[in-house]
Amino acid sequence: MDDEDDDDDDDMTSDLMKDSEEPSNKRVKPVGKGGGVTGIITPVKTPALKRLGKSITRSISFRTEARPLPPAPIRSRQKASSFPRRRSSQCWSDTVDSHDLTAKEIKRQEVIYELTEGERQLIEDLSLVKKVYYEPMLKLDIMTESELGQIFGTLDSLIPLHEDLLARLERLRGSEKTVGAVGVTLFNWFPCLEAYVTYCCNQVEAKALLDMKKQQKRVEQFLRLCQESSFSRKLDLWNFLDLPRSRLVKYPLLLREILKSTPPDHPDEDTLPDALELVQSIVSEVDRKTGEAECQFYRRGLAYLEEGQRLPEIQLSRFLYCHGELKNTKGQKLHVFLFELCLVLTRSVEDKEGGVVFQVYRQPLPTATLHLEDLPDGEGGGGGAFRGAFTSGNDKVRNCLRVSSRGRSKAQSHSLQANDSFNKQQWISCLRQAMVQSRDRDAQVSQSPLSSRISPDFALYHIAELSLSSDTEMADQSSQ
């Protein structure tokens, strides 16, 4: 494509964007005192909801950090954008002229207002994604309809669901702008969130395809232009596509805060716990199904150099504990997958279509026979090779661990280095958990020979949303 075509596409894109309405950035500020997958409550007047905001921030971590923009400059626009950069910040008490509520009642109204406004802002964001990203890319033939369908998934079907909840919540608001009971309304609406199973299970493949398409000049320029525009609030497309999942994990947190401010004789005292239990079960189901879909996706992306590497533990694994980059003693970057039943070291290589395939490196290590060593800083255990790969001069070897196995094949050992101490501790925690659960399953099998090895009734602790790669995000492709 020549420069003149690029300019035409930019102008067309800009014209399409002018018709969009810009949602603002700030969230509503709850007030009052008291105790995963964007959608974060802004600084508030009390420590309680500050902690709520922080806990929400920690819970949303599905590899959705906004990427730094590529260094290549894009032609700046002289005309100022008509989109405001931020949402106006408003809390419930700002919407009423006067009230005679207690501090606890005010806090309850503030959280309900945050719940309501959060729905409104999510609807605005999802509508903006459809109008500013999906429709222009389809009209300008930047991607095919099939590719856009894979990336955006069932996002369009989520908008009416949240419009329905918003309408229900607004109908509860009385003449003095206060809301009475919300428990029954939420309990009746939460089953609609089952639609999130399909949307969230598609996300891992959607992210892989989006990363691959970003390597094309037209796609990269369009997305960069959007991210530099004020309507995006400096968020990239994936941040917007991950908003529904971020919203999903926020519902239990908001309901707990409402429940804390609900007096004992209030009708919600009986119904809110049921609504909370229901939404927690739905979030758990979505998380479990998403973990299974992610596990299947990465299993399909493994390329075996030898037939003996195809261990049954890999195919029988139902979820991923975690995955990310670690370095070996040669300084090579390995992408390591900790499946439910097996640890697999791989090297990422680009396939013919520009995606990534993970070539299995050495022999996979079943978690049931895995041994783990936490290597102190300065004691990498790899001798001169380890030190030479990771350090210069007299620097100590840091953030290292060693995994080994003495299973059905010859003994093997891998000394690995994490990006930082936090990254290392994540790996150690996940590895220890996988080892304990594998050995517990083996103990159950030995005590009951008729029990199934692959379907024990133990609690799934799915933490596959922990991406342990702090440098770069891997673009994954399902085809081998």
Side-chain angles (χ1 to χ4, degrees):
M1 180 193 305
D2 56 31
D3 294 339
E4 191 172 324
D5 290 336
D6 290 342
D7 291 344
D8 291 339
D9 287 346
D10 288 347
D11 292 336
M12 294 177 67
T13 303
S14 177
D15 292 337
L16 288 167
M17 293 176 180
K18 290 177 182 176
D19 297 330
S20 302
E21 293 187 1
E22 143 67 356
S24 73
N25 190 29
K26 290 186 179 178
R27 297 301 191 211
V28 177
K29 299 189 297 184
V31 297
K33 293 187 177 182
V37 191
T38 37
I40 299 173
I41 298 178
T42 54
V44 295
K45 299 179 182 179
T46 63
L49 291 186
K50 286 184 180 179
R51 290 196 295 272
L52 173 61
K54 292 179 180 178
S55 66
I56 293 171
T57 303
R58 289 193 295 268
S59 70
I60 300 172
S61 59
F62 194 58
R63 296 178 290 285
T64 58
E65 297 297 328
R67 296 185 175 188
L69 296 177
I74 190 167
R75 181 164 59 90
S76 60
R77 300 285 178 178
Q78 298 300 321
K79 184 177 179 180
S81 172
S82 59
F83 296 108
R85 283 190 176 275
R86 298 179 180 275
R87 290 189 172 105
S88 59
S89 177
Q90 189 180 51
C91 52
W92 173 82
S93 55
D94 296 330
T95 68
V96 295
D97 296 330
S98 62
H99 58 77
D100 56 356
L101 303 180
T102 65
K104 192 171 185 179
E105 290 171 331
I106 292 174
K107 178 187 173 183
R108 175 181 161 85
Q109 293 302 317
E110 295 290 2
V111 183
I112 294 175
Y113 185 81
E114 161 64 16
L115 171 65
T116 304
E117 290 305 298
E119 292 301 304
R120 191 188 316 279
Q121 292 164 4
L122 179 64
I123 294 166
E124 291 174 352
D125 283 337
L126 298 187
S127 300
L128 178 137
V129 168
K130 178 182 177 182
K131 186 172 184 179
V132 176
Y133 287 95
Y134 181 92
E135 293 178 357
M137 283 194 287
L138 180 62
K139 184 175 294 186
L140 297 174
D141 198 27
I142 293 176
M143 291 191 208
T144 67
E145 186 174 3
S146 175
E147 291 169 338
L148 291 171
Q150 177 66 64
I151 292 172
F152 287 82
T154 57
L155 181 141
D156 194 37
S157 68
L158 301 181
I159 298 176
L161 298 182
H162 292 279
E163 288 176 335
D164 178 43
L165 177 58
L166 177 61
R168 296 188 191 200
L169 292 173
E170 288 182 330
R171 285 197 294 269
L172 296 177
R173 188 171 298 177
S175 57
E176 297 182 357
K177 297 184 179 181
T178 58
V179 176
V182 295
V184 173
T185 297
L186 294 175
F187 183 83
N188 291 335
W189 181 83
F190 278 148
C192 296
L193 293 175
E194 292 285 351
Y196 272 67
V197 172
T198 302
Y199 182 79
C200 292
C201 285
N202 177 69
Q203 278 195 301
V204 63
E205 295 197 33
K207 182 67 163 60
L209 179 58
L210 178 60
D211 286 342
M212 186 177 70
K213 297 300 293 184
K214 282 180 178 180
Q215 300 176 32
Q216 298 179 6
K217 183 179 179 181
R218 290 190 73 209
V219 176
E220 184 274 330
Q221 285 190 330
F222 176 86
L223 295 179
R224 186 149 53 90
L225 175 63
C226 290
Q227 187 172 353
E228 290 179 339
S229 300
S230 58
F231 68 82
S232 73
R233 310 193 301 278
K234 302 304 179 183
L235 302 176
D236 65 12
L237 173 57
W238 185 252
N239 290 132
F240 284 107
L241 293 177
D242 196 49
L243 286 176
R245 188 201 57 80
S246 302
R247 183 64 179 171
L248 177 66
V249 301
K250 192 172 180 181
Y251 287 119
L253 301 173
L254 290 171
L255 259 64
R256 290 191 191 99
E257 290 301 311
I258 297 174
L259 194 56
K260 288 178 183 178
S261 303
T262 300
D265 57 345
H266 196 282
D268 275 347
E269 182 70 14
D270 295 327
T271 56
L272 268 180
D274 293 336
L276 177 59
E277 182 179 358
L278 175 59
V279 74
Q280 286 176 326
S281 68
I282 294 174
V283 171
S284 296
E285 180 189 8
V286 173
D287 184 61
R288 179 176 61 84
K289 294 287 184 65
T290 302
E292 292 174 356
E294 184 179 30
C295 181
Q296 293 171 8
F297 174 81
Y298 285 118
R299 283 205 318 254
R300 293 196 304 267
L302 296 178
Y304 299 93
L305 301 180
E306 300 176 7
E307 191 62 27
Q309 294 175 327
R310 296 179 180 271
L311 299 187
E313 285 87 350
I314 300 175
Q315 296 305 316
L316 295 177
S317 292
R318 298 166 299 175
F319 64 93
L320 269 169
Y321 284 101
C322 57
H323 67 96
E325 282 188 0
L326 294 171
K327 289 182 181 179
N328 63 9
T329 56
K330 298 179 181 179
Q332 297 174 329
K333 288 185 178 180
L334 301 178
H335 199 92
V336 182
F337 296 92
L338 180 55
F339 291 100
E340 177 191 11
L341 302 175
C342 199
L343 179 69
V344 183
L345 283 66
T346 71
R347 288 181 291 201
S348 59
V349 295
E350 186 173 321
D351 63 14
K352 296 179 180 179
E353 298 179 356
V356 171
V357 171
F358 299 96
Q359 289 185 349
V360 177
Y361 176 78
R362 305 291 175 83
Q363 190 71 8
L365 287 67
T367 54
T369 61
L370 198 63
H371 295 271
L372 171 66
E373 295 178 72
D374 181 354
L375 302 179
D377 290 347
E379 299 181 17
F386 207 74
R387 182 176 298 278
F390 300 136
T391 65
S392 60
N394 296 320
D395 293 340
K396 291 183 178 181
V397 179
R398 299 179 183 276
N399 309 317
C400 299
L401 56 95
R402 182 187 293 119
V403 289
S404 57
S405 178
R406 297 181 181 275
R408 64 196 66 152
S409 59
K410 64 180 182 180
Q412 56 178 320
S413 176
H414 301 279
S415 295
L416 303 168
Q417 185 185 42
N419 294 316
D420 51 50
S421 59
F422 176 74
N423 185 252
K424 172 186 173 180
Q425 290 306 315
Q426 283 183 302
W427 273 108
I428 289 176
S429 176
C430 292
L431 286 164
R432 285 174 176 166
Q433 184 184 357
M435 293 161 58
V436 169
Q437 290 191 346
S438 289
R439 289 161 189 173
D440 287 347
R441 287 193 297 273
D442 284 351
Q444 293 175 6
V445 170
S446 64
Q447 294 173 5
S448 178
L450 297 180
S451 63
S452 171
R453 179 179 177 84
I454 64 173
S455 57
D457 183 18
F458 64 92
L460 285 177
Y461 182 66
H462 170 54
I463 50 177
E465 291 184 357
L466 284 177
S467 174
L468 301 180
S469 174
S470 61
D471 291 336
T472 58
E473 293 182 4
M474 303 303 298
D476 307 308
Q477 180 69 13
S478 61
S479 60
Q480 294 191 26

